[in-house]
Amino acid sequence: MRKYAYGFIRGVDAVNHRIGRIVMYGIFVLMGILIWSSVSKTFFMPSLWTLEMAQFAMVTYYILGGPYSIQLGSNVRMDLLYGEWSLRKKAWVDLITVLFLIFYLGVLLYGAVGSTAYSLGYYGSEPFSFFGGLITGAESVGRMETSPTAWRPWLWPIKSVMILGIFLMLMQCISELLKDVLRLKGETI
Amino acid sequence: MSYDLIATLMFATMMLMLLTGQRVFGAIGFVAVIAALFLWGDRGGYDLGFSAAMKLMKWYPLLTLPMFIFMGYVLSESKIADDLYKMFHVWMGGLRGGLAIGTIGLMVLISAMNGLSVAGMAIGSTIALPELLKRGYDKRMVTGVIQAGSSLGILVPPSVVLVLYAMIARQPVGQLWLAGVVPGLMMAAMFIAYIVIRCWINPVLGPVLPAEERNIPRAEKLRLLRAGILPLVIFATMMVPFVNGWTSLVESSAIGALAAFLAAVLKGRMTKEVFENSVRNTLGITCMFMWIILAALAFGAVFDGLGAVKAIEGLFTDRLNLSPWMILILMQLSFILMGTFLDDTAMLVIVAPLYVPLVGELGFDLIWYGILYTITTQIAYMTPPFGYNLFLMRAMAPPEITLRDIYASITPFVAVMVLALVLVMMFPGIATWLPEYVYNKP
Amino acid sequence: QSKITWRLQTYAGAALAEHVIKPAIDSFNMIAGDEMQIELYYADQLVPTGELFQAMQRGTIDAVQSDDDSMASPTDVTVFGGYFPFASRYSLDVPVLFNQYGLNEIWDEEYSKVGVKHISAGAWDPCHFATKEPIRSLADLKGKRVFTFPTAGRFMAQFGVIPVNLPWEDIEVAVQTGELDGIAWSGITEDYTVGWADVTNYFLTNNISGAWAGSFFANMERWDELSPRLQELLKVCMDQSHYYRQWWYWGGEASLRVDGTKMELTSIPDEEWQTVEDAAVKFWDEIAAESPTKAKVVEILKKYNADMVKAGRPYRYGKA
Ligand SMILES: NC(=[NH2+])NCCC[C@H](N)C(=O)O
Ligand code: NA
Ligand code: NA
């Protein structure tokens, strides 16, 4: 059991660490798009795609970067009480409240899956079985949702990124949960 | 269960969850989705959390957020601000409390280069704080100075808070930013006045710098003034094209970030380590803000669905039957109260949409109110139990500064802020004069 | 029997909804009383406009007021909602097309396929440019970043317009923050009503469509659950809202052109504007080539407009 927990923690943390390390350079992508937007507007024709592209870049940046930000401990907490507690007490409380966080992420993920299925032309109410069906070939991709703009990009790519990011966030929180459990068993992590 | 009751319950649960010390976005998001599920169940309760993510994606002014954060980290990590600090150090050191006064000056300049308070906090606590402590300044006084000074970041333009307020109140950002200038400077002056008076009465709080540190050749002294040019240049590259309409708001923020980055490179300060820290911390802080806003948007949508706007209006106007000014004052008070508990971005997304329309309906000027709103936010940012400054101070301050010190340090400054708030309320011209003058608004 | 509650989200922000939907909902609620109430939500309030259609399919919201184009409905008629370039000249054209030329049937069929009830289509105002800088020739359109409809934007892009899409509530500020140079989304009545006239200076009298075509939709299951009486009441109230808009816009456009002080009127000369109208003919054919349903709608539009030209004044003055 303990071995699996450690394996899980190590695996998840490593993946999220790596993704976060890559995504953090996305700040330059975002900056580049916005600068290009002003340059092209001033000197040539403004581009159709810059604003939306910047929005996609931004979403990718903060969603995929989320788990790494948890590792970095950047997510503020109200530490009025929390700050004073012993490590053990913190672990106990976290152990419980992280479940709420996990629940929130679960709902978020559910919504993301539904919305992505929609973006692939599935209008039913069982998005998970739709994706299952896609793999087995029982379902096929329908009308692909495009953004209601003149540029009309497909939306499934960004929505898939969001699924991935939320999923990884969920994994990271489970990893945090396991760490708390191990801490309470007296291990130092 | 009545809608009002649900809304109250949601707020209470959120406060409680926040007290457990769970990450803020988790606390807010959980309450939001639970409420949505409870209210709407399988008729859409599940989708609400995610549809907030799509809303967030389309909220274009948020693109400025990572840009300003990056800018702030470049300024603080690369220690460009060191020169600025040295300038103030030498020029103001001869006065009682002079270094503290200089720190306020430094914070004003940093605020002009940045849209948030985080940069000021980081710079203040890494550069100014150790120096001041070394020079025997009173630790409570200096901790307060840095926290209060850094909060000017959102009042002095550019300001992210005012951008988001502009979107909610549908007021021109340009005018709002200009409206923040005079109150920002006024508040800085009031901080300085406070420091001067305290140190006058009790010189040990801020001892004069020893002569040998101050006796620098005149030429050298003048040379140090050049440090002040950089902030002006960065401020101008961002603001001039924007105010003239050559670049849009989000583009300007990217230009500002680029300018700060280039400045660091040109000054030879962009080492590998600085680069790494700025890039990494930008991701961390951006994620923190974004995930909070994401959760708060969901919370706000449920709140909205409950008709909270109408409930609040009804409460203030019909049930309590108050005059417009009474309502305004009550709103500010409740803002401050909620702000002690709530994170300021969350407050902006959840509470501002409830209040701003009412303020408009009561016939108040929404530009002016934007400034009142921002000052309230500054107070919220400062006051325990929750505030970024508390969080950041804890992380960055040397161990001799205890939590108790941090809490105690802000009291006089919050009092000054409240005074500033009252002044702007009584004399709206403090805020509205400059935008009217520049835009020649009728 | 318990009271039925519906959530209806409109594309319009509060200021506009005051006219284009609120009166109808108020009437409905008053008449339906304890039997049924509709809660009205404004643009992006519960769900962002982009997610509107999906939200209705899933029942997050029960009904929607919007147009096929703006909410990107996954149907073959999407492009015809909103302002399909030069499809209509007057706001009366829209109900005629739907009721007498067979569009109702096509819409009904298309929406039934995706689990949505198309309740009723109606007309709104014409589509004009409101801009910060004056437009006096086609060349002035070049490089202008303009908030407009997806299809209209796609069409106008050939004249150098850069279509931008943002949440409705953000438009006014976006003009001020320089994200937009103008708006091609409404007639002058709306420009004044919602505050856009305060942030733009010029109004172009040439329009790319004489009337917006939009509809009321509902989640099919929810609709089926209603008694025939409530269904009928709903339809009547929606139709009543079309009527309100007929006079509100028609009168408003004229009086603001004559008495409005916030925007200066400019025009592109008719001969030059003809280029745009000619381009529309080509555009229609491109669209028709995309699918049989689209071809059918285009054919109807052509037939209708030809009939109107033949009917002569007052239906059409000169070419369509
Ligand atoms: N779903 C929409 N975006 N519809 C736009 C309608 C445009 C029209 N000018 C109106 O507001 O009445
Ligand atoms: Na600032
Ligand atoms: Na606070």
Side-chain angles (χ1 to χ4, degrees):
Chain A
M1 204 47 223
R2 190 175 152 277
K3 213 176 76 205
Y4 290 122
Y6 270 105
F8 182 88
I9 292 174
R10 228 173 284 129
V12 167
D13 285 17
V15 169
N16 281 336
H17 179 82
R18 236 159 263 155
I19 294 183
R21 298 289 308 172
I22 298 170
V23 170
M24 73 180 193
Y25 295 104
I27 188 76
F28 295 106
V29 176
L30 190 54
M31 204 189 293
I33 296 172
L34 293 177
I35 301 263
W36 170 250
S37 163
S38 67
V39 169
S40 67
K41 178 170 87 178
T42 320
F43 300 105
F44 328 96
M45 273 294 265
S47 331
L48 258 192
W49 50 270
T50 45
L51 186 61
E52 246 183 325
M53 200 59 204
Q55 289 170 334
F56 293 155
M58 161 89 149
V59 168
T60 310
Y61 180 73
Y62 91 86
I63 292 262
L64 287 183
Y68 184 49
S69 81
I70 296 231
Q71 292 180 3
L72 293 174
S74 318
N75 296 86
V76 272
R77 305 161 176 267
M78 186 192 280
D79 52 4
L80 172 71
L81 306 174
Y82 190 85
E84 306 293 312
W85 294 339
S86 67
L87 234 75
R88 203 174 154 74
K89 184 153 184 197
K90 279 185 186 164
W92 261 116
V93 175
D94 264 345
L95 185 68
I96 299 161
T97 58
V98 98
L99 293 176
F100 295 128
L101 179 52
I102 289 176
F103 181 83
Y104 167 56
L105 291 171
V107 175
L108 217 52
L109 184 62
Y110 182 84
V113 170
S115 187
T116 309
Y118 177 87
S119 73
L120 291 170
Y122 173 78
Y123 307 140
S125 52
E126 257 111 53
F128 285 96
S129 66
F130 166 71
F131 282 109
L134 274 188
I135 297 166
T136 60
E139 293 269 3
S140 60
V141 170
R143 179 192 294 266
M144 286 201 261
E145 181 191 14
T146 56
S147 161
T149 61
W151 182 39
R152 292 193 297 166
W154 283 329
L155 286 179
W156 64 262
I158 190 66
K159 288 187 178 176
S160 311
V161 167
M162 289 162 98
I163 293 192
L164 177 67
I166 297 169
F167 175 75
L168 291 174
M169 194 72 162
L170 193 64
M171 290 298 115
Q172 186 64 44
C173 290
I174 295 177
S175 158
E176 301 300 312
L177 175 83
L178 291 178
K179 284 177 203 162
D180 283 329
V181 173
L182 291 173
R183 259 180 221 131
L184 287 174
K185 293 202 157 172
E187 320 224 348
T188 41
I189 296 201
Chain B
M1 218 189 286
S2 85
Y3 277 8
D4 294 6
L5 189 62
I6 300 178
T8 317
L9 214 67
M10 279 176 71
F11 236 98
T13 322
M14 178 174 69
M15 297 289 189
L16 211 72
M17 290 276 310
L18 285 171
L19 276 177
T20 65
Q22 186 45 266
R23 295 166 186 84
V24 170
F25 82 91
I28 300 178
F30 172 73
V31 177
V33 298
I34 278 286
L37 286 176
F38 171 72
L39 284 167
W40 299 325
D42 61 355
R43 281 177 60 191
Y46 299 104
D47 300 337
L48 199 101
F50 183 73
S51 78
M54 300 306 282
K55 225 186 240 182
L56 189 152
M57 179 165 95
K58 287 266 162 186
W59 208 16
Y60 77 89
L62 285 182
L63 291 169
T64 60
L65 204 77
M67 292 301 129
F68 281 128
I69 293 173
F70 180 68
M71 199 170 164
Y73 273 112
V74 169
L75 293 174
S76 74
E77 292 290 329
S78 68
K79 307 265 185 294
I80 302 187
D82 276 12
D83 305 345
L84 276 176
Y85 181 72
K86 219 175 284 154
M87 171 179 100
F88 282 116
H89 190 104
V90 169
W91 280 86
M92 312 295 287
L95 302 173
R96 281 185 189 170
L99 292 187
I101 298 172
T103 305
I104 296 285
L106 173 70
M107 289 300 154
V108 171
L109 291 183
I110 301 289
S111 297
M113 292 188 282
N114 200 274
L116 292 158
S117 302
V118 195
M121 265 310 284
I123 293 171
S125 48
T126 51
I127 303 174
L129 191 60
E131 293 284 326
L132 287 157
L133 291 177
K134 225 190 313 171
R135 298 303 184 302
Y137 271 64
D138 176 64
K139 61 180 178 173
R140 288 202 176 161
M141 159 100 103
V142 301
T143 329
V145 163
I146 288 167
Q147 298 178 78
S150 69
S151 80
L152 290 172
I154 58 175
L155 185 57
V156 174
S159 156
V160 172
V161 168
L162 280 173
V163 169
L164 299 183
Y165 172 85
M167 302 309 291
I168 291 167
R170 296 215 280 146
Q171 296 296 312
V173 182
Q175 295 201 19
L176 279 165
W177 279 3
L178 286 179
V181 174
V182 179
L185 296 178
M186 178 186 85
M187 197 187 276
M190 289 165 70
F191 291 152
I192 290 177
Y194 166 76
I195 297 168
V196 169
I197 295 172
R198 283 290 309 271
C199 293
W200 186 264
I201 300 173
N202 189 358
V204 291
L205 293 178
V208 175
L209 217 57
E212 64 275 15
E213 273 197 60
R214 279 181 290 129
N215 285 343
I216 297 178
R218 204 178 175 82
E220 172 71 11
K221 257 181 131 174
L222 285 176
R223 204 188 55 80
L224 277 172
L225 274 184
R226 288 206 324 230
I229 298 176
L230 183 74
L232 289 182
V233 171
I234 294 187
F235 182 73
T237 41
M238 216 173 3
M239 295 297 280
V240 172
F242 172 65
V243 171
N244 282 308
W246 303 329
T247 55
S248 72
L249 174 72
V250 292
E251 290 163 0
S252 307
S253 69
I255 291 173
L258 185 68
F261 184 73
L262 290 181
V265 172
L266 290 179
K267 297 202 99 185
R269 298 275 176 79
M270 195 35 82
T271 61
K272 230 175 137 194
E273 195 196 337
V274 169
F275 182 76
E276 154 75 22
N277 287 343
S278 325
V279 173
R280 193 190 53 232
N281 289 334
T282 302
L283 180 82
I285 298 291
T286 306
C287 286
M288 171 197 80
F289 276 120
M290 287 299 172
W291 283 87
I292 291 179
I293 294 177
L294 175 63
L297 278 174
F299 193 99
V302 179
F303 238 49
D304 222 5
L306 291 174
V309 180
K310 286 201 203 79
I312 297 254
E313 278 191 32
L315 175 70
F316 280 136
T317 48
D318 302 339
R319 260 195 269 162
L320 299 181
N321 198 358
L322 297 170
S323 74
W325 271 96
M326 278 308 289
I327 298 180
L328 193 83
I329 292 170
L330 264 186
M331 281 202 297
Q332 293 314 97
L333 285 178
S334 62
F335 247 138
I336 295 181
L337 207 72
M338 279 186 276
T340 62
F341 267 88
L342 222 59
D343 139 76
D344 49 347
T345 11
M347 201 162 77
L348 190 79
V349 177
I350 297 171
V351 188
L354 303 181
Y355 280 7
V356 171
L358 181 56
V359 176
E361 265 168 47
L362 293 175
F364 291 110
D365 178 11
L366 286 176
I367 301 269
W368 166 72
Y369 186 70
I371 301 308
L372 297 186
Y373 174 79
T374 307
I375 298 178
T376 328
T377 309
Q378 279 178 277
I379 298 175
Y381 157 96
M382 298 267 293
T383 47
F386 186 83
Y388 289 111
N389 61 322
L390 306 172
F391 197 71
L392 295 171
M393 257 294 162
R394 263 183 153 233
M396 296 190 271
E400 70 248 45
I401 296 186
T402 64
L403 192 64
R404 173 153 306 160
D405 289 330
I406 300 181
Y407 283 2
S409 69
I410 62 160
T411 318
F413 291 93
V414 167
V416 172
M417 288 176 169
V418 172
L419 183 60
L421 183 68
V422 172
L423 283 178
V424 179
M425 277 173 113
M426 284 169 45
F427 307 103
I430 300 173
T432 53
W433 171 77
L434 188 62
E436 267 167 26
Y437 178 76
V438 171
Y439 285 91
N440 195 15
K441 195 178 111 196
Chain C
Q1 186 199 344
S2 68
K3 186 166 75 184
I4 304 170
T5 319
W6 268 24
R7 294 195 293 264
L8 181 146
Q9 185 167 311
T10 170
Y11 71 91
L16 180 56
E18 200 55 45
H19 294 280
V20 300
I21 172 93
K22 187 130 186 315
I25 300 294
D26 288 345
S27 309
F28 180 91
N29 287 342
M30 187 175 174
I31 303 171
D34 287 340
E35 236 177 302
M36 176 169 171
Q37 290 288 300
I38 298 180
E39 294 171 350
L40 175 61
Y41 296 97
Y42 304 119
D44 298 287
Q45 206 177 349
L46 276 187
V47 286
T49 302
E51 302 282 289
L52 205 53
F53 197 83
Q54 188 199 352
M56 175 166 56
Q57 274 183 328
R58 290 202 169 193
T60 306
I61 40 187
D62 307 285
V64 161
Q65 175 195 37
S66 187
D67 67 86
D68 322 78
D69 201 25
S70 304
M71 68 174 183
S73 77
T75 63
D76 254 3
V77 294
T78 309
V79 292
F80 302 109
Y83 294 116
F84 191 62
F86 300 100
S88 37
R89 179 96 305 259
Y90 306 113
S91 54
L92 272 176
D93 292 339
V94 174
V96 176
L97 278 162
F98 274 85
N99 294 314
Q100 297 184 331
Y101 278 71
L103 293 192
N104 267 340
E105 290 70 22
I106 300 178
W107 259 246
D108 188 60
E109 191 183 323
E110 282 292 313
Y111 281 96
S112 301
K113 275 194 240 165
V114 291
V116 163
K117 168 74 189 169
H118 178 249
I119 305 175
S120 148
W124 262 250
D125 55 340
C127 183
H128 291 264
F129 282 83
T131 45
K132 285 196 267 195
E133 303 295 326
I135 297 172
R136 300 204 159 87
S137 70
L138 284 183
D140 291 338
L141 286 174
K142 277 230 172 61
K144 290 250 174 334
R145 299 208 264 192
V146 167
F147 171 62
T148 189
F149 290 79
T151 304
R154 193 174 140 196
F155 171 67
M156 287 309 287
Q158 59 186 299
F159 301 100
V161 172
I162 313 295
V164 178
N165 194 279
L166 292 171
W168 191 91
E169 291 285 8
D170 296 350
I171 300 310
E172 187 176 338
V173 179
V175 174
Q176 292 163 339
T177 60
E179 246 63 45
L180 294 172
D181 302 311
I183 301 157
W185 200 82
S186 67
I188 198 167
T189 315
E190 272 182 32
D191 293 338
Y192 274 77
T193 307
V194 310
W196 296 341
D198 300 326
V199 296
T200 55
N201 306 313
Y202 297 93
F203 179 83
L204 180 66
T205 58
N206 313 66
N207 67 43
I208 39 185
S209 168
W212 177 76
S215 304
F216 290 96
F217 306 90
N219 175 295
M220 190 66 94
E221 276 173 44
R222 293 287 106 68
W223 172 262
D224 289 339
E225 282 162 18
L226 295 186
S227 67
R229 215 172 63 79
L230 284 176
Q231 289 180 345
E232 190 61 24
L233 178 60
L234 208 52
K235 256 193 273 185
V236 167
C237 290
M238 319 254 108
D239 286 345
Q240 150 66 22
S241 87
H242 301 323
Y243 171 69
Y244 180 108
R245 287 189 305 267
Q246 287 286 354
W247 59 260
W248 186 61
Y249 280 120
W250 184 258
E253 299 292 316
S255 83
L256 285 171
R257 283 184 186 210
V258 177
D259 299 321
T261 51
K262 294 183 180 174
M263 306 174 88
E264 185 183 321
L265 306 186
T266 65
S267 301
I268 296 179
D270 286 346
E271 319 78 64
E272 202 181 347
W273 193 247
Q274 191 59 43
T275 333
V276 183
E277 300 199 17
D278 293 343
V281 177
K282 264 208 237 113
F283 185 71
W284 285 21
D285 289 335
E286 273 168 41
I287 297 288
E290 288 175 3
S291 85
T293 308
K294 290 183 187 175
K296 205 154 102 194
V297 177
V298 168
E299 194 191 317
I300 291 177
L301 291 178
K302 282 187 174 164
K303 165 97 172 65
Y304 176 72
N305 278 288
D307 286 356
M308 290 295 115
V309 173
K310 274 188 228 145
R313 300 176 181 198
Y315 295 94
R316 293 291 185 267
Y317 294 77
K319 266 191 75 192

